[in-house]
Amino acid sequence: MHGQIDPGVKELAYLKAYKEHVSADALFDAGDASQGLPVNNVTKGRAMGELMEAIGFNAMAVGNHEFDFSLDSVLGKEDGFFTASPSIKKLGTNVYYSPDSKTGVPNDPVFETSITMDLDGVKVSVYGLSTPETKVKADPRHSEGIDFRDPIPALKEEMKKDMHKDSEYHIVIGHLGTDLETKEAWRMTTVAEALQKDPDFNQEKYIVIDGHSHTAYLEGLRFGDNVIYGQTGGTLGSLGEIRINLKEFEKSTSKNVMIRDGYEIDAEMAILTPDQIISDKIDVIYAEYDDLTQEVVISDNPIEFEGDRSLVRTRETNLGNIIADSIYNYGLDTFEEFSHVAVMNGGGIRASLPKGKLTLKEIITVMPYGNRIVQIDVTGAQLLAMYEHALKAPASEELDDNGVPLLTSDPAILHSSDSIRVKFDPRLEAGSRVQDIQIIDEETNTLVPLDLNKTYKVVTLEFLAVGGDGFTMLGGPRNEGITDSDIFADTFRSHGKSEDIDWTLYGEGLEPYRIVPTKFAPLDAASQLITIVDEATTVLDNRDKYTEESLAVLDLAIANVNDIISKFKTRTYASLTNVTEDDFQVALTELRTAIDGLEEVVEIEEPKVPVDPTPPVEEKPTVKPPVNEKPAVKPPATGIKSDFTPIIIGVSVAVIALAAYVLLGKKGKEKGAVTKV
């Protein structure tokens, strides 16, 4: 029921009226009754305990949120839910003190493990199973020294007791649920299947009442002919009614009866008159609560802050951002050493905030658990593991604006201060989704890449710092501050006026920018790029055809694409690589452009030697000179008679010119004398 004490709807008064209307033989709760709305939390569940006692609940399973307030509260040593409801049997069939427990007697049960009841002459046995997830879905310190055993073996052992041998029916109340992310052996559907099929169980008849997963089964479930199952969804939207057919058990029925439709009593339920005693008790409880929480913390909040469960447990929201920023600023102002980042789990945000006047009551409604804020040391490697854990939820079929799958609901998702940026790919396997983290540097006040070996100061809820919500990578010494809701209220109080806050950081409809599911390249990007690289390689089989300049451009493009392929195949944070859609498209475009831009070498034809147009000279016969005549002047020692000199010179010039022409052609080829193909 999660502390659903509503002064307007008064579901509990109608619940009591319906119980009397159908003359119910017994009334059970499947756990998480004591914690929820702030009106209940300020008294550690005492208000709900008093109301359930007055309504006449017989027994209940102990839920994980029964452990939210303190261990002493759970053990009934401190005023709260357990002390206010002494006649309601708290059943913990699988809840025992650990072998080395200092809290209680080692190996003894913490609560009653089972009871028997006489329901109008019919003997029934009643058991209560608590989820082993309590160790991570409640403050671990509040269950220190307590073990939550596997449900099925614990139930088998309990049923062997002599007190149950002649029971006609066995009622198994469980706070286990049916969530797929819950370990299969811990789901109530797994228990129900065992009750149907296991020879140690299947000779008996079972009524199974479940909670924890907030799942509504309108007509229940059947497991064979001997098990009937019901779960109502949670927070008193409806109640479950199981009618047992004593003659033909297989004809027994389970159904959910609506109590309210939204925030109005359901029309059929409204026919009944709400129980006056319960109604009056609710009024008294709220009068006391209102006196304490009517303080106005800001008169003109201009933004609607989104705290809907379906959003704060799946993605970044403006409410999560301003809460994280308020915690971060508190850390900067309070703790001696610089704080690098503040984080708040989505499961700790329980309501939205409207525009206009905000009171302390509304702040507490958003953050009802009263978690203490602490500063802890976290290495870069642990911080990476922290975000991997926060982003582990399975991807849903719903896509964001970039076409990337959104995560399914997970209370461990982290809302983070403006001092960090995280990029992740929800399509990858959980544990290897984070692609990049940039975190504030205390020296430069700028975002820098995360150093896996550096120690950072993280400000967060004490609940998370001690391993709550599965953050087992955290822990160690811590500096402690005040509670989260007090800090959040002080954020508004200290500014006094709305203009003192930078609302642009939290505008409605603002796109996520701190924890971003980056639009990465398509999953077949590597194969697409490999195909075009193969095409380019085929072209390069004839490298001699192309100019060196165009080949150099192609070689560079191929190298870039191969680098992208390598990064895509090893998309791990350790390599600090992230291949976005833009990376992929740029590489693809550059490679195609390089292939299309290849230029062929121009083949230059060798020119013919030009013909000398001078007509040949007719040779004259040689005339011997007279004996006493002086010899003719000897021609230059060229080996060629001077008469031929003009012709030979002409030829030499032509040959020299031809040699220069050919050399120029070669030089032109080397330089790339080309025409485009």
Side-chain angles (χ1 to χ4, degrees), residues 316-318 321 503-514:
E316 177 183 331
T317 70
N318 63 349
N321 284 352
W503 299 107
T504 61
L505 295 175
Y506 319 110
E508 297 170 55
L510 190 67
E511 287 290 318
Y513 68 98
R514 302 182 184 185

Side-chain angles (χ1 to χ4, degrees), residues 521-522 528-529 580-590:
Q528 290 187 50
L529 293 173
T580 66
E581 174 72 13
D582 288 342
D583 295 331
F584 166 63
Q585 292 296 341
V586 167
L588 194 65
T589 300
E590 287 180 350

Side-chain angles (χ1 to χ4, degrees), residues 14 21 77 163 176 251 344-345 368 402 445 449 452 464 476 532 546 559 585 611 615 620 624 636:
Y14 281 94
H21 175 67
K77 298 178 180 179
M163 62 186 286
L176 299 180
K251 293 184 179 180
M344 170 78 180
N345 62 319
N402 290 323
N445 201 38
L452 297 179
L464 300 181
I532 192 171
Y546 304 105
Q585 292 296 341
V611 178
K620 295 179 181 179
K624 291 183 178 181

Side-chain angles (χ1 to χ4, degrees), residues 139 142 310 496 515 534-535 560 663 677:
D139 190 325
H142 298 169
S310 65
I515 312 298
D534 289 343
E535 178 186 333
N560 290 339
L663 287 173
V677 184

Side-chain angles (χ1 to χ4, degrees), residues 391-407:
L391 299 168
K392 69 183 182 302
S396 70
E397 295 182 1
E398 184 182 358
L399 305 180
D400 68 8
D401 293 338
N402 290 323
V404 176
L406 294 168
L407 297 178

